[in-house]
Amino acid sequence: MPETWTPTDRELAALLEDIGGSLAVPAGAGLPALVRERIVTEPEGVVPLRRLADAQAPADFRAGRPGSGCPAREKDTALPASRAWRRAVVAAAAVVAVLAATLVASPATREAVADWLGIGAVEIELSDRRPPAETVAALDLGQEATVAEASRRAGVPVRWPASLGPPAAVYTRTIGPVREVTLVWPPGQSLPATPAPGVGLLLTELRSGVHPAIVKQVVVAATQIRPVAVNGGDGWWISGAPHTVTYVTPGGREVSTATRLAGNVLLWERAGITYRLESALGLADALRLAAEVR
Amino acid sequence: MEGRPLDDGALAELARNGDVDAYTELVTRHRGLAVRVAYVIAGDDAEDAAQEAFVKAYRALARFRPGAPFRPWLLHIVANEARNRRRSAARRADLAVRAAPPGTSAPASPSAEDDALHQQRREAVLRAVAALDERDRMVVACRYLAGLSEAETAAALGCRPGTVKSRLSRAMARLRRQLAAEQEVAGA
């Protein structure tokens, strides 16, 4: 070339785009079928695994859970006599089946997910709205999971009120034969703060065949229970201090779980799934959110 | 399902809840660009890289924020998969430029000599791009060879648009220096 060719940025860019248009890029025509086959047939074990830390035996929840701030409930607390359980018992779905040990991919940390996707830790966008680890432990929320994993483990199609947007984090917890899914939202514009750092609202879902029985913490006189209508069905509004909720499984086993926040609880059942919404919201707001869970 | 086709967001939401058909539709929609981005980064491994990226993206859907744009998120995964493959590839495949019929991709040139010159320059630029360091090469590849916008390039590379701008101008300067150096050697 006679004189040195010194292209401007613009000329270089144009040339690069020109090259780009001429590249022998493969068509990738077979990709949709190949990808489809892989996601359908491959177990999730193709990505780095973490075994379910499922070894712990169900705790004796009658003794109260550590860190929840709820003292042990009394052994013989009668059901509220005024309640008449009219609904038929729905056979519990394959709760036992989903408790079978399965390998799931559940990268719980930013770094683990980054490694899994093969990229540097700083480059991935993750929700940073998760509650701090101390809160997770103190409230005994359980094991972190993705929505899909939680759905599978608990045997419930995990749902949430659309107006809240997706949860910041999802956890599963085992209570006897039942697995509970808890979704967490941080405090924000529409969610008042609660005493638990990073937690504005908890929505717990579990597959229960029977109406839950609500057991008051005898020592806490401030707790009030009020029956309400939720989505045309029965529900309960429990305001005041933390307390224990007891479910009765179709097998007649009693399963107790403590509520975590010192706030209000809206409890209802729909289509064989029991929902428990804990927050600092008032009844009207809680009912509005419950109506969105469909 | 009747009427108009679902948008990416709706398909992604379905796929998040396990709808494999919805995800397959997403793959069909985006495979062209995914393979292109993989190709400009990793060359011949592009189809494998894109396949792996699509599978990984499916498994990562639980962490995909509904409402976020799907394509940039996907391309981020593709770009990283392609980069990892290129890093571990034993041979570095050069990008192949199709022999284009005259008068199509090349700008209108009045003579065969100009055609040859144009082709020479294209090859020189490709060599210079291959000689860039990884970061510069990836930003040039995404922005110009794959034709992504500045915003999409930023999403694919996981950096801010401002960073893309500054990296690009630095890369262009290096390309120019590389081209000049090559010509000096040739002229000597």
Side-chain angles (χ1 to χ4, degrees), chain A residues 75-157:
Chain A
K75 226 179 172 188
D76 301 303
T77 311
L79 294 175
S82 56
R83 284 290 167 271
W85 310 121
R86 284 193 206 94
R87 291 233 192 121
V89 172
V90 174
V95 169
V96 171
V98 301
L99 292 182
T102 47
L103 297 177
V104 295
S106 176
T109 65
R110 197 180 189 92
E111 290 71 30
V113 177
D115 282 342
W116 172 48
L117 290 179
I119 60 184
V122 293
E123 289 172 296
I124 186 172
E125 241 182 53
L126 276 185
S127 164
D128 55 2
R129 297 151 59 228
R130 298 187 299 194
E134 315 83 65
T135 306
V136 176
L139 299 186
D140 193 24
L141 294 179
Q143 189 182 52
E144 190 166 3
T146 64
V147 168
E149 288 158 8
S151 291
R152 267 198 316 276
R153 288 188 214 167
V156 302

Side-chain angles (χ1 to χ4, degrees), chain A residues 20-291:
Chain A
S22 317
L23 289 175
V25 178
L31 273 178
L34 283 169
V35 169
R36 187 202 165 90
E37 197 193 310
R38 282 184 64 182
I39 64 184
V40 164
T41 63
E42 269 176 11
E44 297 206 26
V46 292
V47 291
L49 301 173
R50 182 162 69 83
R51 282 184 184 273
L52 274 179
D54 205 22
Q56 62 195 93
D60 180 4
F61 11 86
R62 288 167 190 265
R65 308 193 82 95
S68 68
C70 299
R73 71 174 184 94
E74 304 247 322
K75 226 179 172 188
D76 301 303
T77 311
L79 294 175
S82 56
R83 284 290 167 271
W85 310 121
R86 284 193 206 94
R87 291 233 192 121
V89 172
V90 174
V95 169
V96 171
V98 301
L99 292 182
T102 47
L103 297 177
V104 295
S106 176
T109 65
R110 197 180 189 92
E111 290 71 30
V113 177
D115 282 342
W116 172 48
L117 290 179
I119 60 184
V122 293
E123 289 172 296
I124 186 172
E125 241 182 53
L126 276 185
S127 164
D128 55 2
R129 297 151 59 228
R130 298 187 299 194
E134 315 83 65
T135 306
V136 176
L139 299 186
D140 193 24
L141 294 179
Q143 189 182 52
E144 190 166 3
T146 64
V147 168
E149 288 158 8
S151 291
R152 267 198 316 276
R153 288 188 214 167
V156 302
V158 172
R159 296 192 178 99
W160 59 82
S163 63
L164 285 181
V170 179
Y171 303 90
T172 63
R173 187 171 75 155
T174 307
I175 309 156
V178 167
R179 194 159 290 212
E180 215 181 45
V181 177
T182 301
L183 296 83
V184 183
W185 281 263
Q189 281 184 327
S190 53
L191 287 180
T194 69
V199 175
L201 189 145
L202 296 177
L203 179 60
T204 301
E205 309 180 16
L206 67 152
R207 186 168 286 283
S208 73
V210 196
H211 276 293
I214 301 145
V215 180
K216 245 201 295 201
Q217 292 248 278
V218 176
V219 288
V220 183
T223 305
Q224 299 173 314
I225 303 174
R226 210 185 112 179
V228 292
V230 181
N231 297 333
D234 291 337
W236 296 266
W237 175 247
I238 309 152
S239 51
H243 52 271
T244 307
V245 178
T246 301
Y247 304 93
V248 182
T249 70
R253 262 192 82 171
E254 287 188 2
V255 165
S256 294
T257 161
T259 62
R260 285 90 144 198
L261 303 181
N264 304 319
V265 173
L266 182 64
L267 191 60
W268 75 100
E269 193 210 351
R270 187 188 174 91
I273 300 168
T274 298
Y275 298 91
R276 197 169 76 234
L277 192 150
E278 301 179 54
S279 69
L281 292 169
L283 176 59
D285 287 325
L287 284 174
R288 183 180 45 80
L289 289 177

Side-chain angles (χ1 to χ4, degrees), chain A residues 5 18 22 36 38 118-119, chain B residues 21 51 80 84 98 105 183:
Chain A
W5 173 53
D18 176 48
S22 317
R36 187 202 165 90
R38 282 184 64 182
I119 60 184
Chain B
D21 288 330
Q51 188 193 120
N80 283 287
N84 290 341
R98 266 194 315 261
S105 50
Q183 290 171 78

